[in-house]
Amino acid sequence: MQGDELPKRGSLVGVSRRRLLSGAIGVGLTGGTAGAVLSAGLVWSGPAAADGGPPVIHPRRAWGARRPKEHARVLRGGPDHIVVHHTATPNSGDASLAHAFALSRAIQRFHMGGRGWSDIGEQLTISRGGHIMEGRNRSLRAMLSGRHAVGAQTLNHNSHTIGIENEGNYMRAPVPPALWSSLVRVCGWLCTVYGLDPYRAIVGHRDFNATSCPGDVLYARLPELRRQAAGLIGRPGPVVPAPKSSTGTGGDVEDDEQFDFGDYDDSGPV
């Protein structure tokens, strides 16, 4: 990251960068009461957004992320594609926030311990219950300023793509409505922030690499995702609930049997 200079990239679609940073569609990253304006000029909102409202993104601090081995590289320009993934883990019926946070910690342990990467690979994770979590360190702040925190989620294309991991295996199983709703909302917001055309920008992992990801069912729904995300261009988002307390250290020993990453694709040693 080079100082506080904003990225010199195409303007936002329907939303000015000044409005984004002023908090009109901003995010609170620290504690506070609902609706309070924070010191950074950003607005913290309640713990859940109504259907069709702005996405709610839980920061790393909320799910108890481990300290990364090194800070993510932040590029001044934004990504040109949004890559949709699935975790290829069991299709859990647990829609709770606690499960979603445990999922993020399990993915981070797998990426850092099993793959030897510096941190969790993807920039965003969505649980089957529709909960959205920040992934790689620096990702959320980078998104808010139109920059790009480089992850490890699409081999040979990490410098220009942002990745969204969707919990589950969608080779045959349907996508849960809660997950789908969150995916649509977050894609609409990302296209707004980065000035992207959803019809060109939203792709599946298999469009870049030789993989079955994000599963046949989810991949077949990408045209629908593009259409729905396009309908949300310019709308407010996201909001970030201030975590009441840390939900683990990320280094805790947890039962990872519910998160079997045996079919997880290699996305690059970053």
Side-chain angles (χ1 to χ4, degrees), residues 198-224:
Y199 295 99
R200 295 176 179 270
I202 299 174
V203 298
H205 189 184
R206 64 177 67 177
D207 289 319
F208 282 122
N209 298 145
T211 173
S212 62
C213 183
D216 292 346
V217 174
L218 181 51
Y219 187 79
R221 295 191 67 181
L222 292 187
E224 180 184 358

Side-chain angles (χ1 to χ4, degrees), residues 27-46 57 59 61-62 141 240-246:
V27 177
L29 295 176
T30 61
T33 58
V37 178
L38 305 178
S39 59
L42 304 175
V43 178
W44 178 82
S45 186
I57 302 177
R61 182 163 59 98
R141 288 190 180 274
V240 175
K244 295 180 180 179
S245 62
S246 177

Side-chain angles (χ1 to χ4, degrees), residues 72 172 186:
R172 297 181 179 84
V186 81

Side-chain angles (χ1 to χ4, degrees), residues 10-259:
S11 61
L12 301 179
V13 177
V15 182
S16 69
R17 183 171 284 113
R18 176 176 295 179
R19 184 181 173 209
L20 170 69
L21 297 178
S22 70
I25 63 169
V27 177
L29 295 176
T30 61
T33 58
V37 178
L38 305 178
S39 59
L42 304 175
V43 178
W44 178 82
S45 186
D51 187 46
V56 176
I57 302 177
H58 298 277
R60 288 167 58 90
R61 182 163 59 98
W63 54 265
R66 290 172 53 185
R67 185 184 300 275
K69 296 176 183 177
E70 59 184 38
H71 290 304
R73 184 164 56 105
V74 178
L75 305 181
R76 290 172 59 191
D80 55 23
H81 284 83
I82 300 167
V83 182
V84 177
H85 301 261
H86 70 172
T87 61
T89 53
N91 294 323
S92 173
D94 190 342
S96 70
L97 185 59
H99 171 86
F101 287 176
L103 169 70
S104 285
R105 293 193 297 272
I107 294 175
Q108 187 185 43
R109 280 194 299 274
F110 174 65
H111 285 179
M112 295 181 72
R115 290 292 172 85
W117 297 349
S118 63
D119 193 12
I120 191 171
E122 70 275 16
Q123 286 85 355
L124 294 168
T125 308
I126 304 178
S127 74
R128 284 174 58 82
H131 302 290
I132 309 169
M133 284 75 64
E134 177 186 17
R136 177 150 291 214
N137 68 92
R138 295 182 167 181
S139 291
L140 191 51
R141 288 190 180 274
M143 294 174 202
L144 290 171
S145 63
R147 298 178 179 180
H148 176 49
V150 178
Q153 43 83 33
T154 304
L155 185 63
N156 298 323
H157 294 279
N158 288 308
S159 65
H160 69 98
T161 64
I162 190 167
I164 304 175
E165 283 279 11
N166 298 280
E167 180 190 13
N169 188 320
Y170 300 107
M171 287 302 295
R172 297 181 179 84
V175 181
L179 187 155
W180 180 260
S181 177
S182 292
L183 180 59
V184 169
R185 283 181 284 162
V186 81
C187 284
W189 173 65
L190 289 173
C191 287
T192 297
V193 169
Y194 293 120
L196 300 176
D197 176 357
Y199 295 99
R200 295 176 179 270
I202 299 174
V203 298
H205 189 184
R206 64 177 67 177
D207 289 319
F208 282 122
N209 298 145
T211 173
S212 62
C213 183
D216 292 346
V217 174
L218 181 51
Y219 187 79
R221 295 191 67 181
L222 292 187
E224 180 184 358
L225 176 61
R226 296 177 186 116
R227 289 193 301 271
Q228 293 188 16
L232 298 181
I233 293 293
R235 292 195 180 185
V239 294
V240 175
K244 295 180 180 179
S245 62
S246 177
T247 314
T249 64
D252 297 339
V253 176
E254 297 187 58
D255 181 4
D256 282 346
E257 290 185 1
Q258 60 179 322
F259 305 115

